[in-house]
Amino acid sequence: MRDTSLIYPLREDGKILLGYKKRGMGRGKWNGFGGKLEKGETMRECAARELFEESGLSASPSDFEQAADLYFHQPSDPSWSHAGIVYFIRKWTGKVHLSNEMEPKWFSPEDFPFDDMWEADKIWLPLILKGEKIRGTIYFAPDGNTVFDYHFESI
């Protein structure tokens, strides 16, 4: 799989925009916004493009704050394994809207729908929400959702 970007817009009141995935990988889960790197793009350009396509928000690539550098490893299906850069964005233009892929909704961090998110999100997302910047690997079981191991270091 191609490397991916993952973006979490943060409002001044502390709420974070998540999207309910309506199709594709992660369908039926709440997630950040993002997707696969296209040929000729930088990762920040990918993040800006994906954020706009999935939520309607426009942001400058230079305004994305890197929060994590993760490798999602699926030993039973190496074609699924990929690197992902996670960003926060605090400055944007436009209004949030429904897209073909995502249904956006603002959440307070204490009200995150972790039961309806990727299992791995419960492990690494609270770390970066507390301000830690991390790099690491998450190892998935053959079902593609269950985490059987992980390793993070501060960056």
Side-chain angles (χ1 to χ4, degrees):
M1 180 182 289
R2 288 176 293 183
D3 292 346
T4 61
S5 64
L6 186 58
I7 307 99
Y8 292 92
L10 304 175
R11 286 193 326 206
E12 287 183 17
D13 66 2
K15 290 197 174 183
I16 301 167
L17 189 64
L18 298 178
Y20 186 77
K21 190 85 158 120
K22 298 182 338 183
R23 63 181 174 93
M25 185 177 198
R27 187 173 145 271
K29 297 181 186 295
W30 288 97
N31 201 8
F33 300 87
K36 296 175 189 149
L37 186 66
E38 297 291 337
K39 187 175 180 173
E41 281 183 321
T42 67
M43 192 57 78
R44 288 173 189 271
E45 290 168 341
C46 171
R49 176 183 52 77
E50 290 284 352
L51 179 65
F52 178 73
E53 289 174 1
E54 295 180 350
S55 74
L57 300 179
S58 294
S60 171
S62 63
D63 288 332
F64 287 89
E65 304 166 25
Q66 185 175 335
D69 180 353
L70 301 174
Y71 188 73
F72 301 96
H73 187 53
Q74 174 55 281
S76 67
D77 182 2
S79 69
W80 185 90
S81 298
H82 65 283
I85 304 295
V86 182
Y87 297 102
F88 289 131
I89 189 74
R90 299 171 198 277
K91 190 165 76 173
W92 60 81
T93 59
K95 294 196 186 280
V96 174
H97 68 73
L98 183 72
S99 71
N100 290 336
E101 192 169 347
M102 301 285 258
E103 181 179 330
K105 182 177 177 184
W106 293 99
F107 288 91
S108 295
E110 60 273 9
D111 295 327
F112 265 27
F114 279 117
D115 290 340
D116 295 318
M117 296 174 78
W118 288 99
E119 183 178 307
D121 293 354
K122 298 174 193 178
I123 300 166
W124 63 265
L125 192 51
L127 297 174
I128 66 170
L129 290 174
K130 288 190 296 188
E132 291 185 48
K133 293 186 185 303
I134 60 172
R135 173 181 295 127
T137 302
I138 302 161
Y139 300 89
F140 290 90
D143 67 6
N145 186 54
T146 304
V147 174
F148 72 83
D149 198 8
Y150 59 90
H151 170 76
F152 302 122
E153 60 185 38
S154 294
I155 54 174

